[in-house]
Amino acid sequence: MFLALRELRFAKARFGLMGAVIVLIAILMVLLSGLSQGLVKDGVSGLQELPVTSFAFEKDVQKDSAFTRSVVDADTVETWKSRDGVNDAAPFGLALVNGANQDGTQVDLAVIGVEPDSFVAPEPAEGEGLLDANSVVLSAHAADDGIAIGDVITLERTNVELTVTGFLDGQHTFGHVDMGYVELPTWQSINAGLPLDAALPEGKEGEFTAVAVKSELDTDALATADEEAGTTTMSLTESYGASPGYTAETSTLLLIQVFLYAICALVAGAFFTVLTIHRKPEIAVMRAMGASTGYLLRDGLGQALILLLASVGLGVAIGCGVGGLLQTTAMPFALVTGPIVLAAVLLIALGLVGAAVAIVRITRVDPLTALGANR
Amino acid sequence: MTGLQITDVSLVLGDGDESVTALDHVNLSVAPGEFVAVVGPSGSGKSSLLAVAGGLSTPTSGSVTVDGHELVGPNNRELSRLRRELIGFVFQSSNLVPALTAVDQLRLPTTFGKFDDARDPMELLEQVQMAHKAKRRPHQLSGGERQRVGIARALMTRPRVLLVDEPTAALDRARSQEVVELLAKETREQGVATVMVTHDHDVIKHADTVYVMTDGRLEKQD
């Protein structure tokens, strides 16, 4: 890469301009990745943290709102639990409610109803677990909003009073709302819109949203189990789509990211096309002097790779710097190494593809044009 | 067989009624250390002669050898190798690479392959009296200076044949004489077989042999 390096140094302004565009794309990519991870975290971190492999919902439930529409009963849990390959199964209730603590601080909750001795029961990192019917264990995220252990949260409509007994480790949210674990009967009352001491309506006893399943079953085996239990199974990851707004948010951001990848490839392609056309006379001279096609391609692609590596590297560094600041704000933003590395690698790879398509023109330059006045 | 041997070479460009005979049964033999000038009006086939001699064009018939290596027949990859190992080109208005300093222009051809006996670039620049401008780029050099660097570049890999295309096209009379004198001197000192194509009759006095090209036919001038 004798020539590539010297050209980069010689035409600093030209390559700098091109590099700046890639830097900006890379910054944008990091920020979008952070935003998308932040939204994922806000949307489904509570589900991600569960020791669950799949949920069995009511048969033929609408998949994008399964958590709010599905109703299953205790028999279904038993059916699932008794199946071979299923390690555990437990009732799981989910309801979105609003409330406020004794100081009037608003708390929006995804109330999760579980049996305290089941495998989905909350494991508090601070305080204690579910002590009685009024006890609630909250996402640690709620502590940031000013809720503390011992606070009493009064729910709207039902006036159910819940005492915060513990906090989970880290953020547990569902649909941008903190999760609060309560005992299953408490959840059933809240879900039915009744005070805790009122009797549940006929047939409502023993009902909840879904069966939380922990199994080693593959997709086919799950489908068979579904058939026999009369349920609709979604894997844990599939169930993310049932979190309000999750699919819309992630698909919009994904679309923007796909566009950015395409833009990166096109920008690199356009730049190196112009550059290669501009370099045609000297390429003809070098080919006449005996430079092989391989030599010229290596040189050109090496140059593109250096430019892309430096630009994407700088962009990611700046993006992470800015992202670090955003992370401390209320904005749903999370810098996660995996997706950022993936984005950087894809930017470099696609930029290189764009550049390669342009640089391949080198092979079509006729060394004969070096002779005569063809300059 | 050392030097350059062009034997009964014809080159027909285009096809059918449009075809043009660029070279018509040309024979040319240049010995190591010999400086041959080829003159002729534009369109007479001078550039075609250089193209064929340098393995850039494949003749319709005939044979071209450089130090015994046949240039008619091998594939492009092999021709590339033969060019970088055996042939030096000096182009019209030098055609230097804009991004490179004078000394890097000389280093460039040695990066194309493995050359164990490549010349020392600074020493060679000294020889063409350009050592004091080794760090200058082409746009900071005059036409004559660029041509000197171009000649030095062609000699870096110790070629057996030096093919020179209109070296004085962009130069004034005094510079033209200097550049061609330099070519003649290097040809003799390096023992390289040199063919210079030119339409500038003032500079042919430096050549050992002069040929005239007319409508694709090559004739020795007395």
Side-chain angles (χ1 to χ4, degrees), chain A:
Chain A
M1 280 196 280
F2 176 85
L3 185 57
L5 293 171
R6 283 163 179 77
E7 279 190 330
L8 281 169
R9 228 175 298 151
F10 174 65
K12 281 187 218 77
R14 190 182 293 165
F15 286 107
L17 212 57
M18 165 67 190
V21 175
I22 303 288
V23 168
L24 289 177
I25 291 177
I27 294 175
L28 201 52
M29 213 61 173
V30 172
L31 295 183
L32 277 173
S33 160
L35 189 60
S36 120
Q37 291 301 319
L39 285 170
V40 167
K41 214 172 162 194
D42 254 26
V44 298
S45 62
L47 297 178
Q48 285 174 327
E49 303 284 336
L50 288 171
V52 165
T53 54
S54 62
F55 283 105
F57 292 100
E58 184 183 348
K59 195 173 179 62
D60 298 329
V61 76
Q62 204 174 328
K63 288 207 170 185
D64 58 359
S65 52
F67 278 113
T68 43
R69 297 209 176 176
S70 162
V71 179
V72 294
D73 57 26
D75 293 345
T76 322
V77 177
E78 290 314 312
T79 315
W80 272 97
K81 212 170 188 171
S82 59
R83 245 197 123 70
D84 283 344
V86 174
N87 301 333
D88 216 338
F92 188 86
L94 191 150
L96 295 169
V97 295
N98 304 324
N101 77 348
Q102 69 282 357
D103 307 325
T105 306
Q106 285 290 323
V107 193
D108 297 333
L109 285 182
V111 175
I112 308 293
V114 293
E115 287 173 345
D117 54 355
S118 72
F119 79 107
V120 285
E123 286 167 14
E126 195 187 327
E128 294 185 72
L130 299 174
L131 303 173
D132 53 37
N134 289 94
S135 156
V136 63
V137 176
L138 285 179
S139 155
H141 201 238
D144 301 340
D145 297 336
I147 306 295
I149 289 177
D151 279 9
V152 175
I153 297 169
T154 309
L155 302 184
E156 281 175 17
R157 235 155 45 88
T158 53
N159 288 325
V160 169
E161 293 189 343
L162 298 172
T163 310
V164 180
T165 53
F167 283 112
L168 297 162
D169 185 19
Q171 185 177 347
H172 289 247
T173 43
F174 174 83
H176 304 267
V177 172
D178 284 315
M179 277 188 175
Y181 280 84
V182 297
E183 289 183 358
L184 194 60
T186 309
W187 178 84
Q188 280 159 338
S189 295
I190 295 168
N191 194 44
L194 296 169
L196 293 188
D197 48 9
L200 289 169
E202 189 77 14
K204 285 277 173 193
E205 316 95 343
E207 284 189 351
F208 36 85
T209 308
V211 183
V213 177
K214 187 178 170 188
S215 74
E216 283 142 16
L217 300 177
D218 60 14
T219 323
D220 288 341
L222 281 172
T224 319
D226 248 355
E227 195 76 30
E228 285 171 25
T231 50
T232 297
T233 283
M234 278 195 250
S235 71
L236 185 64
T237 26
E238 277 171 351
S239 76
Y240 297 168
S243 165
Y246 179 80
T247 312
E249 287 160 3
T250 46
S251 57
T252 307
L253 284 169
L254 184 67
L255 187 70
I256 300 175
Q257 281 171 315
V258 168
F259 266 86
L260 276 178
Y261 289 127
I263 290 170
C264 179
L266 287 175
V267 166
F271 175 79
F272 280 101
T273 300
V274 174
L275 188 74
T276 307
I277 291 172
H278 184 79
R279 288 183 61 205
K280 247 178 152 171
E282 66 183 78
I283 290 165
V285 166
M286 286 189 282
R287 297 198 76 167
M289 285 162 68
S292 66
T293 307
Y295 175 92
L296 293 169
L297 285 178
R298 272 197 302 280
D299 201 72
L301 286 173
Q303 192 174 56
L305 184 63
I306 291 170
L307 186 64
L308 285 164
L309 277 174
S311 308
V312 171
L314 183 63
V316 167
I318 297 173
C320 288
V322 175
L325 295 176
L326 284 177
Q327 227 167 355
T328 61
T329 67
M331 203 170 154
F333 194 92
L335 290 174
V336 183
T337 316
I340 292 174
V341 170
L342 179 70
V345 169
L346 276 175
L347 278 182
I348 292 169
L350 289 168
L352 209 54
V353 168
V357 169
I359 290 169
V360 166
R361 283 169 172 273
I362 284 173
T363 59
R364 297 203 293 267
V365 174
D366 187 353
L368 195 55
T369 56
L371 292 178
N374 294 312
R375 244 182 92 81

Side-chain angles (χ1 to χ4, degrees), chain B residues 142-164:
Chain B
S142 71
E145 288 171 338
R146 284 204 283 268
Q147 207 50 284
R148 283 171 180 280
V149 174
I151 291 166
R153 176 176 71 176
L155 294 170
M156 267 305 284
T157 54
R158 300 183 196 273
R160 310 312 305 148
V161 167
L162 190 60
L163 301 173
V164 188

Side-chain angles (χ1 to χ4, degrees), chain B residues 52-71:
Chain B
V52 164
L56 299 177
S57 289
T58 306
T60 316
S61 64
S63 146
V64 179
T65 63
V66 173
D67 260 17
H69 298 273
E70 179 61 59
L71 295 190

